[in-house]
Amino acid sequence: AQSVTQPDIHITVSEGASLELRCNYSYGATPYLFWYVQSPGQGLQLLLKYFSGDTLVQGIKGFEAEFKRSQSSFNLRKPSVHWSDAAEYFCAVVFMEYGNKLVFGAGTILRVKS
Amino acid sequence: DTGVSQDPRHKITKRGQNVTFRCDPISEHNRLYWYRQTLGQGPEFLTYFQNEAQLEKSRLLSDRFSAERPKGSFSTLEIQRTEQGDSAMYLCASIRQGSYEQYFGPGTRLTVT
């Protein structure tokens, strides 16, 4: 079955440190993948997306993600975290056979310590 | 503001009452999606519309839930006889024809007491 796994429920990093959030997917065809960010009580903001082509994609706010087909992964990275990056991050895959609905992981809560 | 809007942002209701939420998508977007997000989980798909046609409903959408998009513009999600398990954030998203990028509204937080 199509699914998205985010193994880390919480991650704490120091301000200025690098960040990597993990995402693994299970999908039979070529996946279309997204990372969204959600601040408390807010909706979802798209950080970046991968459809095809270059496997390293750049997004907003200095984030990037790398698609690795052999590992079924789409990990999110940022070289230097800012306190304002504290939020919850969701990885998602488009389920194209069913009206392009999104299937989300359970999310990773990022805490930034000063 | 040309983004997706939802109303109300917060709703507190007593068990057994009916509630209705509204979503206004981005104007040129022909597809509209509803998701539900409970605490500690990612959003889960409920249903979607292409123009005014409701094309799919999740098994999460029990008989107490109904959604409409009467003129292919705004959509409403109604929950009848609310239960405490309905407490969640209800998110709406829209997408334009041929795209895969969903734009989300701020959500409606429902609390059933």
Side-chain angles (χ1 to χ4, degrees):
Chain A
Q2 287 74 9
S3 64
V4 176
T5 301
Q6 294 179 246
D8 305 304
I9 298 174
H10 297 98
I11 282 186
T12 300
V13 299
S14 298
E15 191 169 14
S18 63
L19 170 70
E20 182 169 29
L21 302 182
R22 296 183 290 164
C23 172
N24 293 95
Y25 66 89
S26 171
Y27 189 65
T30 300
Y32 286 12
L33 295 156
F34 299 83
W35 275 99
Y36 284 87
V37 61
Q38 185 178 38
S39 297
Q42 301 300 311
L44 300 170
Q45 181 183 22
L46 179 67
L47 283 177
L48 47 76
K49 58 185 182 282
Y50 172 78
F51 291 165
S52 64
D54 194 346
T55 56
L56 184 65
V57 294
Q58 303 297 320
I60 63 171
K61 304 184 180 185
F63 285 92
E64 66 179 26
E66 186 171 13
F67 171 63
K68 293 185 177 180
R69 184 186 300 275
S70 61
Q71 297 178 19
S72 297
S73 69
F74 187 56
N75 294 348
L76 182 72
R77 300 194 294 247
K78 187 170 185 178
S80 178
V81 168
H82 188 263
W83 64 266
S84 60
D85 293 325
E88 189 162 16
Y89 293 79
F90 292 95
C91 181
V93 63
V94 171
F95 197 171
M96 285 184 274
E97 293 83 352
Y98 289 91
N100 296 344
K101 69 179 182 183
L102 289 171
V103 175
F104 287 87
T108 297
I109 296 172
L110 172 65
R111 299 188 178 115
V112 180
K113 59 181 181 180
S114 55
Chain B
D1 185 8
T2 57
V4 178
S5 62
Q6 292 187 244
D7 184 71
R9 294 290 306 276
H10 303 275
K11 179 72 176 178
I12 299 174
T13 192
K14 293 184 177 180
R15 189 175 54 190
Q17 298 295 305
N18 299 344
V19 294
T20 300
F21 311 141
R22 177 179 169 126
C23 171
D24 287 88
I26 294 171
S27 59
E28 64 268 26
H29 288 189
N30 68 326
R31 278 193 182 178
L32 185 150
Y33 299 78
W34 285 99
Y35 293 85
R36 182 172 71 184
Q37 184 181 20
T38 53
L39 206 59
Q41 298 298 317
E44 295 175 288
F45 170 79
L46 291 179
T47 188
Y48 89 96
F49 293 83
Q50 179 152 316
N51 300 313
E52 65 275 9
Q54 187 175 18
L55 297 186
E56 190 188 347
K57 295 192 292 185
S58 162
R59 58 182 170 78
L60 294 175
L61 217 62
S62 75
D63 291 344
R64 297 184 297 106
F65 288 70
S66 63
E68 294 182 340
R69 195 181 182 200
K71 296 183 179 179
S73 56
F74 72 91
S75 175
T76 58
L77 178 68
E78 181 182 14
I79 309 174
Q80 296 182 328
R81 305 180 305 281
T82 53
E83 301 173 356
Q84 287 189 317
D86 298 330
S87 295
M89 173 80 90
Y90 291 84
L91 294 163
C92 174
S94 69
I95 193 171
R96 61 177 175 78
Q97 183 78 28
S99 175
Y100 298 97
E101 191 172 320
Q102 294 188 22
Y103 291 83
F104 281 83
T108 294
R109 168 74 66 188
L110 173 66
T111 303
V112 182
T113 62

